[in-house]
Amino acid sequence: MHSISGSKLAAQALKKQNVEIVFTLSGMPCFGLYQALSDEGIRLVDVRHEQAAVLMAQGYARTTGRTGVAWVAPGPGVMNAITGIANCYYGSAPVVILAGQLGIEEFERGSFHETPHTELVRPITKWCSMVYETARIPEYIDMAFRKAARGMPGPAFLDLPRNLLEEEINESVTILGPAPKLPGPQGDPALVAQAVDLLAESEKPLVVYGSGIIWSDAHRELLQFIETAGIPAVPTPLARGCVSDDHPLSCFGARSRAMAESDGVLFIGARLNFILGFARPPRFNPKVRTVQVDIIADEIGRNRNIDVGLLGDAKAVLKQLTEQWKRKDLPAKNSWAAVLKEAEQNKRKKWMQWAQSPAKPINPIRLCHEIDQLLDRDALVCVDGGEILDFARNVITTKAPASRLNPGITGLLGIGIPYAIGAKSAHPDRQVLCVCGDGAFGLNGMELDTAFRHKIPIVVVVSNNACWGLCANIQRGTYGDECTFGTMLTGTRYDLMAQALGCYGEMVEDPDQIRPALQRAFESQRPALLNVITDPNTERYSMSSELRDLPFFLQGK
């Protein structure tokens, strides 16, 4: 019997899980594992910061529905990764984080990099553990993948001590393949019937769906149900595209009115958190009747009373709802959707004065409009920042499932470029664009070097207004125009920085040049950055709910 190292066992276990790519930052004890991964044909993308490695794995997971993988070194490597791990946890993303650890013989000695990894990450992971026996490395890796992907997805963390990775063993080890895909649990048929009755009796029914639709691969079933019932649908931001924004029943642009006026709402795969105003008034009608579908029992009825709670998988329950609607031979309720779609279109018409403005500096609405007009229907768009996020989510449309990525529930800045690299690694034939503020760019901007070294041709558009836009405008709106402490940046030539890193870089100051510059960036077949000089004074056309009611902004309007 041939001997085999722990590193080779780990690599073979990852190969059996159909892992294609591992995002990493080097450091002991990874080098034997790197060689073993290379031998197995698994691609390694080494990064400039461990946070970015985990965020790339998250971007990969969000755009594929598969589990992403990151490897980090001990001590500060894990500590740097913690922000990314937390973002996966609160964003319900299936990511396996493998960490090197000291040799077991060094524990409790005050050794170099000695850190209690599992104690640090336990509150922000679905599961975390350490391997203590070389032969069990594949077993624990299989466990991590099952924990990350089953039920509501999330991160799983595994510590791999150095002595186990380096040890050679002479015993037969079983390496398990991917866990079988299980059909999602159906909802109670009696409650499904009640849910259909509630929606059918509503004059203004509404479906509010979240990322559970993506993880359940339920966008087809969602579309079939809303088309059968004629019920308008509103996504949470990260679920955009499961129903295309240009579909007659998709009403993201009229979401505030839809939620405030609806008298019957189906929440499916969406947590009732701050993004939905906790599903309470004034965000929602005080008299609204509600149905909630979730795969996790504790999420049902969280933050508000629910009339019909359905424990089950989004895909399975949507099939049941459609069948029940057809069985009862209920008519489609299209009129309310038409009202909302008209309201959405009217809102977009009001923006056109800004979307066509020739003014300099460029206003962010014009920037986002030009981007929207150029992108393919299946383009993957990552939006990173504060104020630019408000403009981008309203103006840049989404037309394909799992194709919009933004900071999510944590509001974490710096996600844009790592997400884009992860997404492009998974989808090399699709356009991948990152739109970010100049402040957000600074957090992980050096990952352009990662994109260049690994030939990952993402396009980054920096909205450069020389300030932390949202914070600066809140500050100005509250305390006056002269108060700018801590929120001002400089008009840095990020395009020159990109060029220095080997990427395509271009500065854009003329709004008529945005689209030609975007075309040049995509055609360059290199990582590219457009440094677009934008207007910092947005009080006349702000799209931020945090800004528009401040005294200073009311005066500006």
Side-chain angles (χ1 to χ4, degrees), residues 10 41 56 259 364 385 395 417 419 470 484 504:
M56 287 177 197
M259 293 175 186
V395 180
I417 295 175
Y419 276 4
L470 185 62
T484 59
Y504 179 86

Side-chain angles (χ1 to χ4, degrees), residues 35 52 54 111 152 191 205 255 364 428 446 475 496:
Q35 186 59 54
V54 179
S111 302
M152 183 183 288
L191 295 175
R255 59 195 178 278
M446 279 301 296
Q475 190 178 43
L496 298 181

Side-chain angles (χ1 to χ4, degrees), residues 144-361:
F145 274 80
R146 284 188 287 110
K147 296 289 188 181
R150 290 274 172 87
M152 183 183 288
F157 178 96
L158 182 61
D159 247 348
L160 293 161
R162 176 177 178 174
N163 63 303
L164 301 190
L165 290 170
E166 295 175 350
E167 183 181 20
E168 300 270 343
I169 61 171
N170 291 291
E171 59 182 279
S172 177
V173 176
T174 299
I175 300 180
L176 300 174
K181 191 168 178 61
L182 303 176
Q186 293 189 330
D188 183 323
L191 295 175
V192 169
Q194 289 181 33
V196 166
D197 287 344
L198 186 154
L199 294 171
E201 291 165 5
S202 301
E203 292 184 9
K204 295 180 177 180
L206 181 68
V207 174
V208 176
Y209 63 91
S211 294
I213 299 296
I214 294 172
W215 302 122
S216 181
D217 190 27
H219 57 277
R220 297 174 192 86
E221 289 73 16
L222 173 65
L223 185 60
Q224 185 179 16
F225 173 67
I226 66 169
E227 288 182 340
T228 298
I231 299 177
V234 171
T236 58
L238 287 176
R240 292 275 296 279
C242 290
V243 179
S244 174
D245 282 354
D246 57 5
H247 190 283
L249 293 169
S250 179
C251 302
F252 182 77
R255 59 195 178 278
S256 294
R257 178 175 176 181
M259 293 175 186
E261 294 185 15
S262 179
D263 58 348
V265 177
L266 165 64
F267 297 105
I268 184 159
R271 286 184 285 186
L272 309 187
N273 54 31
F274 82 95
I275 289 174
L276 293 176
F278 309 106
R280 298 176 180 176
R283 186 72 161 161
F284 285 85
N285 180 349
K287 297 181 179 179
V288 67
R289 294 191 300 162
T290 55
V291 179
Q292 187 181 1
V293 180
D294 206 286
I295 200 164
I296 302 297
D298 285 351
E299 291 296 326
I300 296 176
R302 185 180 183 187
N303 290 325
R304 69 155 297 135
N305 291 325
I306 297 296
D307 295 283
V308 181
L310 275 163
L311 182 63
D313 172 72
K315 189 184 189 94
V317 174
L318 282 165
K319 287 181 180 178
Q320 291 178 283
L321 291 168
T322 302
E323 290 166 2
Q324 181 71 9
W325 196 281
K326 290 179 177 179
R327 188 179 301 119
K328 292 196 170 194
D329 196 26
L330 295 167
K333 304 170 72 70
N334 290 307
S335 58
W336 166 231
V339 170
L340 292 174
K341 201 66 179 180
E342 182 180 5
E344 179 181 84
Q345 291 166 351
N346 288 338
K347 182 186 289 188
R348 293 188 73 85
K349 287 177 184 176
K350 291 179 180 179
W351 300 337
M352 290 310 294
Q353 63 171 309
W354 305 106
Q356 297 171 346
S357 170
K360 302 177 187 178

